[in-house]
Amino acid sequence: MNLLDEMKKRILIGDGAMGTLLYSYGSDQCFEELNLSQAAHIQQIHRAYIDAGADVIQTNTYGANYHKLERYGLEEKVKEINTAAVKNAKAAANEDTFILGTIGGIRSFRPQSIEINEIKRTFREQLYCLLLEGVDGLLFETYYDFEELATVVEIARKETDIPIIAHISVQEPGVMQNGKPVAEALLELESLGADVVGLNCRQGPFHMIKSLEQVPLPEKAYLSCYPNASLPSYSEGSLQYSNNATYFGEVAPAFRQQGVRLLGGCCGTTPDHVRAFSQALKGLTPVTEKKVEKAEKIVLHAREKDLPEPLPEIVGRRKSVIVELDPPKKLQTDKFIEGAKALGTAGADAVTLADNSLASPRVSNESLGYLIKEQGVRPLVHLTCRDRNLIGLQSHLMGLHTLGLHDILAVTGDPTKVGDFPGAASVYDVSSFELIEMIQQLNNGMSMSGKDLGEKASFTIGAAFNPNVRSVERAVQRLEKKISAGADYFMSQPVFSEEKLIETAEAVKDLGKPVYIGLMPLTSSKNADFLHNEVPGIKLTEQVRDRMAAVSGDREKSYREGLAITKSLIDTALDLFNGIYLITPFMRYEMTAELTRYANEQAAKRGGQERAIY
């Protein structure tokens, strides 16, 4: 008996959630390990679903890959766990029960979290284990990242002829998180060799049916769907789903009308939900025609408004100076506003505002950015991944767009343990790479989940660059990845030697994007020693430290020596870069104002039109 042959004739019922039942029974450890330590328990759950009417069950192997098992110290038991899972399913199955070897997605909503080569290695290891045990088909489920799913389908199709079921997961009806329509994604999976395509997880029946309304019947493949029980609620430290099995029986005919031939359940579903599906569809044949609802074509426009010339265009045609001025740690903001205005008057093209630098709380750079914009100074706000989850990041970006703050530096951010509140949590839902992609999606009018936002944002995206590393070439490779993610230009950590300026210029000359090279005036010998020894990513030459040590204890001489060192670096930098990024130490904006004037004067003497670093 062949799975696909049966699907030609009738609608098959799949099982429901494994983890939901295990958790409800008090098992909160690695669910996949229970294939070894509680085999009877796993078999009991399989039988419960079969008794409820499931024609198809899946092995308890969703997370039985090297990457996920590593969290529990079980990475060396991939083969043992997968082998046991198939044996448990076979022990529970009837003669006419189909067994699917399940492999879950790894990347979730973070496409950059794991390299595709690691995905391939991890997937192959688990795939071979399942194939060796003789499963009736393969189920790839809960894939938010289409690249990952397409990759594993291609690999599996080359390795086996058994049926492949490929499920995507979406956060918004009808569209994946990168904006790809569900219908387009399923069609592409069919072309890659999947025999059954569909949806699972994240959404309940209502939204999944809504997605399927836009999906035509595939020419060769069949449609499947495994909805969640409902939207979960959070109670007493755990997610809880509605006990709504009757509702599943009511909506089962709607899944049939959308062409679904394999119908099971995902998170929150139980044997009762599967029984409801089975009873509602008993004796009904699959549909061979359906009416497809055309998705409303959304045309997004950028808001009609006067936007300033983008910084990458400015630095591409002339010398440009931007200056960082940290928001204050105290509530008094007069000096900050005064400093920002002074920097604007000195000729800074933008004043950049860090986002709680060194993980220490400061006045919100969003609020200060708006205030200095009202004073005629162009703000460039930094945005870290540390302090906000995905919801907070998108909300913050939407707020910046609403306030007309369009220049952003996307950075990962210093971990909280280095700041004033070392016990605070570092969020890091995304890395700087994914944050750049997120901002670029907003520029396309889409949220991180793929939902349209009504209009396009107009952000110019800066990214960080640390040239103070052993291998600048390797650092440049990271920049290339950031360009692929959507970065428009780069701002570097401060450099303190002419040799490093020259080395950096050579390394980025073929990058294709502008670089604002970072320079920061030193204020004292102690300041120099602190930066050199205690601040990550900054190293000073012995010559610079000796020069500052020679004027140690004299505030005025230290001030002048710090300026002299930086002016010398500016002279060299202007021959190599179009962009100068000055970093203000300790709110001493008079130093960076003087350096801004100096840089602009020297650029004018040079004619201002040498070459830009791209």
Side-chain angles (χ1 to χ4, degrees), residues 49 301 315 328 366 373 375 494 511 523 590 599:
Y49 280 119
H301 301 282
V315 74
E366 176 184 29
K373 178 173 176 283
Q375 297 290 330
L511 195 59
T523 59
E590 68 280 357

Side-chain angles (χ1 to χ4, degrees), residues 90-338:
K90 287 183 175 181
N94 297 328
E95 288 186 2
D96 56 353
T97 302
F98 294 103
I99 298 172
L100 301 178
T102 296
I103 299 179
I106 296 177
R107 279 182 168 178
S108 185
F109 55 81
R110 297 185 59 184
Q112 298 288 345
S113 59
I114 300 176
E115 293 288 343
I116 199 66
N117 285 336
E118 175 60 17
I119 294 285
K120 291 178 180 179
R121 187 200 68 77
T122 299
F123 173 77
R124 283 192 173 97
E125 181 182 24
Q126 188 177 6
L127 172 67
Y128 297 151
C129 293
L130 295 172
L131 292 179
L132 284 171
E133 293 304 314
V135 292
D136 299 308
L138 297 166
L139 172 60
F140 306 149
E141 65 172 9
T142 320
Y143 283 78
Y144 288 92
D145 179 64
F146 189 78
E147 180 192 29
E148 180 184 8
L149 181 54
T151 298
V152 301
V153 168
E154 282 190 286
I155 292 173
R157 188 72 293 161
K158 291 176 181 177
E159 296 293 336
T160 182
D161 293 327
I162 66 173
I164 294 174
I165 302 167
H167 282 172
I168 62 173
S169 295
V170 299
Q171 300 182 59
E172 300 290 342
V175 63
M176 297 193 72
Q177 65 183 19
N178 66 347
K180 183 187 287 288
V182 165
E184 181 182 320
L186 298 186
L187 179 64
E188 191 169 336
L189 290 171
E190 180 188 18
S191 70
L192 292 172
D195 302 291
V196 183
V197 294
L199 300 159
N200 85 289
C201 205
R202 183 65 178 85
Q203 297 178 335
F206 177 84
H207 288 106
M208 285 203 172
I209 292 170
K210 197 172 181 66
S211 289
L212 290 169
E213 288 173 350
Q214 301 170 17
V215 177
L217 295 177
E219 290 186 14
K220 298 178 181 179
Y222 298 121
L223 290 178
S224 62
C225 200
Y226 281 57
N228 282 359
S230 63
L231 294 175
S233 61
Y234 190 74
S235 177
E236 297 181 357
S238 65
L239 295 175
Q240 298 182 4
Y241 293 86
S242 300
N243 184 13
N244 55 352
T246 301
Y247 171 63
F248 266 49
E250 294 169 356
V251 298
F255 281 106
R256 172 180 174 269
Q257 287 302 117
Q258 294 307 320
V260 172
R261 297 197 184 205
L262 173 60
L263 183 60
C266 203
C267 300
T269 57
T270 66
D272 289 339
H273 294 85
V274 169
R275 184 175 293 106
F277 272 161
S278 178
Q279 292 176 353
L281 297 178
K282 188 174 183 178
L284 298 180
T285 56
V287 300
T288 56
E289 295 181 354
K290 68 176 281 192
K291 179 182 178 181
V292 178
E293 296 289 337
K294 289 187 177 181
E296 181 182 351
K297 189 172 183 179
I298 299 170
V299 180
L300 297 170
H301 301 282
R303 188 186 299 178
E304 294 295 329
K305 54 196 169 188
D306 294 326
L307 294 172
E309 182 181 8
L311 284 174
E313 293 184 14
I314 292 175
V315 74
R317 65 178 175 81
R318 65 167 173 84
K319 303 297 184 184
S320 173
V321 181
I322 60 177
V323 186
E324 180 173 320
L325 187 65
D326 269 353
K329 291 184 177 182
K330 297 183 179 180
L331 294 177
Q332 294 92 345
T333 59
D334 291 348
K335 185 176 181 181
F336 177 87
I337 301 297
E338 177 186 293

Side-chain angles (χ1 to χ4, degrees), residues 419-468:
D420 294 347
F421 295 95
S426 293
V427 181
Y428 297 131
D429 266 1
V430 293
S431 68
S432 58
F433 296 96
E434 290 142 349
L435 178 56
I436 291 168
E437 289 180 336
M438 183 179 186
I439 299 170
Q440 195 61 259
Q441 281 201 199
L442 265 69
N443 282 346
N444 292 325
M446 289 188 301
S447 72
M448 185 65 170
S449 64
K451 184 177 183 179
D452 83 89
L453 295 174
E455 69 179 38
K456 296 180 179 180
S458 304
F459 294 117
T460 301
I461 309 168
F465 168 37
N466 180 16
N468 300 306

